[in-house]
Amino acid sequence: MNRRMVEETIKTIKETESAAEEIVKKADAECSAILEEASKKAADIRENAVRDANAAAQDSLLSAKEAGEKKMQEALKETQMQIASLKEAALSKEEEAVSAVIADLV
């Protein structure tokens, strides 16, 4: 009877060890699956972040180009107005100069 109890105990221990090994294998498999899933999610998050950052950069670049274009047009308009003003002033001075030269000749 004592021997039988020892054999039963050994059998129970072996069954428990076997069950424990199976649990460890399943846990390892689950761990690998979880890590793989996490890695895929991290890659997706990184890809989305890069895409969003690129889109934001493109929007900023477009806004900057539009603002630059607007300022350039405003500066061009201002320059054209100054040129017109200078031409007008030069024409009025030309008439004065011609009149002065004619007056000196007479």
Side-chain angles (χ1 to χ4, degrees), residues 9-106:
T9 302
I10 291 173
K11 182 180 174 189
T12 302
I13 291 171
K14 286 183 180 182
E15 288 172 352
T16 303
E17 286 176 345
S18 179
E21 284 180 28
E22 196 60 36
I23 290 170
V24 169
K25 285 180 185 177
K26 285 182 182 179
D28 282 343
E30 282 183 41
C31 180
S32 293
I34 290 170
L35 289 174
E36 187 175 333
E37 175 86 14
S39 178
K40 286 179 183 178
K41 284 184 180 180
D44 288 344
I45 290 169
R46 182 176 53 249
E47 185 179 314
N48 290 338
V50 168
R51 185 178 55 243
D52 291 347
N54 284 339
Q58 288 290 12
D59 289 347
S60 293
L61 180 60
L62 181 60
S63 294
K65 282 182 179 180
E66 289 173 354
E69 188 67 31
K70 184 178 179 184
K71 285 189 183 248
M72 188 174 71
Q73 290 299 326
E74 290 171 358
L76 180 61
K77 186 177 179 181
E78 179 67 29
T79 301
Q80 288 172 340
M81 289 172 53
Q82 288 176 357
I83 289 171
S85 177
L86 288 172
K87 281 183 179 179
E88 187 177 311
L91 284 175
S92 73
K93 297 289 182 182
E94 182 182 11
E95 289 175 14
E96 288 178 25
V98 169
S99 295
V101 169
I102 291 174
D104 281 345
L105 290 176
V106 177

